[in-house]
Amino acid sequence: MKEIVEKIIEKVESFGVEDPFLEELKSHLLRELKVNPTASNQYLWLGIKEIATFMESYVG
């Protein structure tokens, strides 16, 4: 999970977008990753989905 979360954060940061929602989401994801880094962690999957949705809306 760590690799997936770090990779998607890296990708979204490459967009160069500064958005308070996105910054908070990244912070929560990294914190959750430290608490429970397992693949069964639904909060991590939800955060990944939210970042992917953000990226999709940004790209259009």
Side-chain angles (χ1 to χ4, degrees), residues 4-43:
I4 295 169
V5 169
E6 288 175 348
K7 190 59 125 175
I8 199 161
I9 288 174
E10 179 184 310
K11 290 287 184 187
V12 78
E13 286 178 342
S14 73
F15 288 179
V17 176
E18 293 191 21
D19 182 280
F21 169 74
L22 185 59
E23 294 303 317
E24 186 174 339
L25 183 57
K26 290 188 303 186
S27 173
H28 286 298
L29 263 178
L30 293 172
R31 196 171 321 125
E32 188 64 30
L33 189 61
K34 289 180 184 176
V35 173
N36 183 5
T38 64
S40 63
N41 187 334
Q42 293 182 12
Y43 291 111

Side-chain angles (χ1 to χ4, degrees), residues 42-54:
Q42 293 182 12
Y43 291 111
L44 288 177
W45 286 114
L46 179 61
I48 290 167
K49 180 183 178 285
E50 288 297 317
I51 289 179
T53 301
F54 179 88

